[in-house]
Amino acid sequence: MTQEQHFDVASYALGVLDERDASRFEDHLIDCPSCAIELESLLPVVDILSDVDADALVATEQSRRDGLMLKTMIGEVKRERRRANSRRLYSLAAAVVVFAMLSIGALFAGGQWLGSSDDQAPSQQAARSSKQLDPLPIAEGGTGLGGTKLPGEHLTGTDPRSGVTADVGLERKDWGTQVSFAVANIKGPLLCRLVVVRTDGASEVLSTWKVGEKGWGTAAQPDPLLLQAVTALPREDIAHLQIQAVDSKGASENLVRVP
């Protein structure tokens, strides 16, 4: 910014620039937040000067020459302040200041958003997953483990080797199938998953969860584990479901199949 442009701030605020210089300064003002802020700070002073009684002020001046100059300046300010472009001055200054502040704020906030976007994604995904694993509400349908009513078509299965029992409710939806299931006589610690096997033999993991030491449907924890999951598969494409245990190396073992 040049010294001349600094002087132009006061001259523009007082309205003493000719049309060419005023237009040149306005072009500069759009790209210079510093001048815009300085202009905004001068506006109250210009308001005060426009209400000053020039004749009374000149009477107090020591020099007639200085008094005449001051009188001329104040008179010019009064005339310019009454012009319609005074409204444009306020609007332009305010707009540029707001633009400058928003630009600085956007740069600061943008850095935070970019930095936190990746950190938030896992927590949001976890929240969505946990929502699918909420306890089942009481609904019309077949009576399952622990007296729970599973919605939709009711299926059940017990594995003679593992002793795990599972009840499943398959409910048809416009978007696929909702799977509600209850698991009992399962002991931990285990990492488990629900797998749907399609009629063409392909499989899909619908949900995963952990089983603590007390287990579910056991003497230590009599209540069955109640969960929900969803799949885009229509009911007629589902052959059966499996509950599997997964070890630390990713190997799986079938605990129960339904039906």
Side-chain angles (χ1 to χ4, degrees):
M1 182 182 300
T2 65
Q3 187 68 21
E4 178 185 2
Q5 288 166 343
H6 277 302
F7 283 128
D8 282 347
V9 176
S11 300
Y12 182 78
L14 294 172
V16 298
L17 295 179
D18 58 27
E19 185 175 350
R20 182 180 64 84
D21 288 339
S23 178
R24 179 172 60 87
F25 179 77
E26 288 174 357
D27 291 339
H28 164 76
L29 191 65
I30 294 175
D31 297 323
C32 184
S34 178
C35 281
I37 293 172
E38 184 178 353
L39 175 61
E40 186 181 40
S41 68
L42 287 174
L43 295 181
V45 179
V46 176
D47 281 332
I48 294 173
L49 287 176
S50 65
D51 295 330
V52 172
D53 186 340
D55 294 329
L57 185 60
V58 169
T60 64
E61 292 296 315
Q62 297 293 326
S63 166
R64 174 177 171 76
R65 179 183 177 185
D66 291 342
L68 289 174
M69 291 178 62
L70 183 59
K71 180 177 180 179
T72 300
M73 182 188 71
I74 295 176
E76 185 67 22
V77 169
K78 281 187 175 181
R79 287 191 295 273
E80 292 297 328
R81 292 293 293 159
R82 293 190 183 99
R83 292 182 181 179
N85 83 334
S86 64
R87 294 180 181 177
R88 182 184 64 176
L89 182 151
Y90 274 106
S91 299
L92 180 62
V96 173
V97 170
V98 171
F99 176 78
M101 296 305 179
L102 289 178
S103 298
I104 295 172
L107 287 174
F108 176 77
Q112 289 186 322
W113 294 333
L114 290 174
S116 61
S117 176
D118 293 340
D119 295 338
Q120 291 178 353
S123 63
Q124 292 173 349
Q125 183 177 1
R128 287 192 295 269
S129 298
S130 64
K131 186 175 181 181
Q132 295 180 9
L133 301 179
D134 286 340
L136 290 172
I138 300 299
E140 295 299 327
T143 301
L145 296 172
T148 303
K149 296 180 180 179
L150 300 177
E153 179 186 356
H154 181 230
L155 306 171
T156 188
T158 300
D159 188 283
R161 181 184 56 82
S162 67
V164 176
T165 297
D167 280 355
V168 176
L170 299 178
E171 188 174 9
R172 299 172 186 269
K173 299 289 185 179
D174 292 339
W175 38 260
T177 305
Q178 176 176 295
V179 182
S180 305
F181 59 105
V183 185
N185 199 28
I186 185 170
K187 301 177 182 179
L190 287 175
L191 174 62
C192 296
R193 66 187 184 188
L194 176 67
V195 178
V196 59
V197 180
R198 297 169 15 181
T199 54
D200 62 4
S203 61
E204 174 189 350
V205 176
L206 298 187
S207 182
T208 63
W209 66 93
K210 290 182 179 180
V211 177
E213 293 183 359
K214 292 183 178 181
W216 295 92
T218 63
Q221 174 61 269
D223 293 332
L225 177 63
L226 305 176
L227 301 174
Q228 283 181 323
V230 295
T231 176
L233 289 175
R235 169 63 186 96
E236 54 270 20
D237 290 346
I238 298 176
H240 63 270
L241 296 104
Q242 298 176 351
I243 293 178
Q244 301 176 348
V246 183
D247 63 22
S248 59
K249 296 181 180 179
S252 62
E253 175 188 5
N254 270 351
L255 298 179
V256 64
R257 167 179 163 165
V258 179

